[in-house]
Amino acid sequence: MKRRFMGIFLTVVLIVMGIAGCSQKGSGTTDKTGTNETTDNAGTGNTESDTGSMPETKPFKIAVGLSDSGATMFSLMSNNLQAFAKAAGGEVVFEGGVAASADATIAFVENQIAAGVDGILIGPPADSVLPTVKTLCEEAGVYWGICFRNILDEEVKKLVESSEYYVGKCYEDEETTGYQVMLNLHNLGAEKVAVISMAKGNTTTDLREEGANRACKELGMEIVAESRDIAQASDATGATESFLTAYSALDAVFIVGATGAGVHEAVAKAIEDADRQDSVKLATIDFPDSMSELFEKGILVTCSGLPSWGYDPFMSFVLLVNTCMGNPVSDKKVTLTCSMFDINNKETAEKWLKKFGDASTLYYTEDEMKQLIKANNQGLTEEELQLKMIEFSRNAVN
């Protein structure tokens, strides 16, 4: 009986040791608590070898709620995110139309969680969607971050930042940008302006419009008409034709924000077809592919945008990737801001297009991207990323 008991006991011990042994394999994997268990072969605790190669980590998959095609700015953005994902040993997938509504955002998050992603990046249409996203990601143990948006509701901000799975955000001063474009139009003599924008409740375009409305009050300008939630070029054509028919004294069409491909070109063509190009001008936030041509025609007179539209989500993606790898850039929730600037003439437009009008342009070399991976660069901090963003903006048209 003793022998039989000892046999059973030894069998149990071996099974337990086997399980323990399995749990020690893959020391470079990342768990959902954000810790990285990587050690060097010598057991010194270093996270990279003397050659500077990245330590072995668990492959990750991140879903981004942005389109990866349709315009150069989308393709350029996706190419840079894919390049960084490859440098970090992971994968990224894209889905357009996510920011169109709260329902679309929630459906995207639910679907990607079901698909087994490790991280999610969104540009939420409004603060109201964030508590639901937080709950979904917490329940699934999926990290998430925000691009193109600030969080304006203080209660929502506190709730979101209380989550261990929320990594941070990148955003721009949208209100000031909206004001600046209207000021530029005012300086060119414009008084009556029609607006094309997203649906009310969109965090970004609402702020841009606040700036535009403030400019109207201060400068004696008037927004005489608006068209919202333009989905395609034909919608932009119809909206512009309506503006031109209804307002003989119209001075400008201001595209505050639109996601449809070809919207800028459609507005410009509608103005030309009505033979109003001498009196009605185009202004926009975000730089269209046809910017140089539209400046040359004299229809586009001012536009404002990021150094590259995809640079904001790229930096948010950097935060998310590092966290998914188990090496968060900061132990706090990171907030990055990206400067926007004006382009008011063909010459500056051509300088910008020479650099960012090519979808194959990379923001950083492969070696530079590897230094944005904390496993390779333990000195990487929120402050360092912010300085890189400032430098990038300064050199955008140089």
Side-chain angles (χ1 to χ4, degrees):
M1 179 66 95
K2 277 186 182 179
R3 184 174 300 172
R4 184 178 177 189
F5 175 79
M6 288 299 294
I8 294 171
F9 175 77
L10 288 172
T11 300
V12 171
V13 170
L14 288 172
I15 290 172
V16 171
M17 290 179 66
I19 292 171
C22 287
S23 70
Q24 297 303 315
K25 291 180 181 179
S27 59
T29 60
T30 305
D31 65 16
K32 289 295 184 181
T33 63
T35 60
N36 187 290
E37 299 172 351
T38 304
T39 58
D40 66 347
N41 293 332
T44 61
N46 293 331
T47 59
E48 58 183 308
S49 68
D50 293 337
T51 63
S53 61
M54 190 171 68
E56 182 183 354
T57 56
K58 175 186 174 183
F60 59 84
K61 185 176 183 179
I62 294 175
V64 177
L66 297 170
S67 176
D68 61 347
S69 61
T72 301
M73 65 181 187
F74 299 136
S75 300
L76 190 151
M77 176 276 300
S78 66
N79 287 342
N80 274 273
L81 267 62
Q82 289 180 67
F84 186 72
K86 181 179 179 181
E91 180 185 355
V92 57
V93 295
F94 301 89
E95 183 178 326
V98 174
S101 68
D103 288 344
T105 301
I106 292 170
F108 169 75
V109 173
E110 289 176 333
N111 292 339
Q112 294 302 328
I113 286 174
V117 298
D118 302 288
I120 292 174
L121 181 62
I122 57 171
D127 288 351
S128 58
V129 77
L130 298 179
T132 302
V133 174
K134 168 186 177 290
T135 299
L136 290 170
C137 289
E138 281 183 340
E139 290 177 350
V142 171
Y143 293 111
W144 65 289
I146 296 173
C147 59
F148 293 132
R149 304 287 192 268
N150 194 3
I151 305 176
L152 305 181
D153 187 307
E154 284 300 320
E155 289 188 9
V156 172
K157 181 180 178 181
K158 288 179 182 177
L159 179 67
V160 167
E161 293 187 346
S162 70
S163 175
E164 65 176 305
Y165 291 98
Y166 169 70
V167 303
K169 62 183 180 291
C170 185
Y171 74 99
E172 293 70 52
D173 187 346
E174 306 289 358
E175 183 178 347
T176 297
T177 303
Y179 181 95
Q180 184 62 47
V181 171
M182 290 293 279
L183 175 60
N184 293 345
L185 285 173
H186 171 76
N187 291 338
L188 293 170
E191 295 180 356
K192 297 185 182 299
V193 179
V195 162
I196 290 176
S197 190
M198 301 295 289
K200 279 290 187 182
N202 183 290
T203 306
T204 293
T205 49
D206 280 2
L207 285 171
R208 293 175 181 178
E209 289 179 49
E210 284 184 22
N213 288 324
R214 178 162 59 88
C216 285
K217 291 179 182 179
E218 294 180 10
L219 304 172
M221 302 174 74
E222 182 183 2
I223 294 175
V224 297
E226 59 185 42
S227 179
R228 298 191 175 277
D229 212 12
I230 295 291
Q232 53 194 0
S234 59
D235 295 335
T237 299
T240 306
E241 289 173 346
S242 296
F243 296 154
L244 296 170
T245 300
Y247 301 97
S248 58
L250 187 69
D251 297 308
V253 177
F254 177 14
I255 302 177
V256 177
T259 57
V263 167
H264 300 83
E265 295 77 11
V267 171
K269 188 175 186 307
I271 293 172
E272 282 186 298
D273 289 348
D275 198 23
R276 298 274 293 275
Q277 62 268 27
D278 290 336
S279 59
V280 180
K281 303 302 180 182
L282 174 62
T284 181
I285 298 178
D286 296 329
F287 303 136
D289 289 351
S290 57
M291 180 167 53
S292 179
E293 178 186 348
L294 295 178
F295 271 120
E296 185 172 12
K297 287 183 175 181
I299 297 177
L300 180 63
V301 292
T302 184
C303 51
S304 185
L306 290 164
S308 173
W309 182 86
Y311 190 63
D312 172 314
F314 176 82
M315 279 303 190
S316 297
F317 189 68
V318 167
L319 298 178
L320 194 53
V321 166
N322 277 292
T323 302
C324 286
M325 294 177 70
N327 293 285
V329 170
S330 174
D331 57 1
K332 300 178 181 178
K333 310 307 177 184
V334 176
T335 294
L336 300 172
T337 57
C338 195
S339 300
M340 299 176 84
F341 64 96
D342 296 341
I343 294 180
N344 299 317
N345 55 65
K346 179 186 176 183
E347 292 71 28
T348 308
E350 288 182 340
K351 286 183 180 179
W352 187 91
L353 287 165
K354 185 176 181 180
K355 184 179 291 188
F356 299 116
D358 182 350
S360 66
T361 298
L362 292 180
Y363 302 142
Y364 298 103
T365 65
E366 182 179 354
D367 286 343
E368 288 171 335
M369 285 193 180
K370 287 181 178 179
Q371 288 304 301
L372 296 176
I373 300 168
K374 195 158 186 176
N376 291 335
N377 176 12
Q378 290 298 320
L380 186 67
T381 63
E382 176 180 351
E383 292 73 21
E384 182 179 343
L385 287 179
Q386 187 63 67
L387 288 173
K388 284 183 177 295
M389 295 179 75
I390 293 170
E391 181 182 12
F392 189 87
S393 296
R394 284 174 178 169
N395 295 328
V397 290
N398 293 333

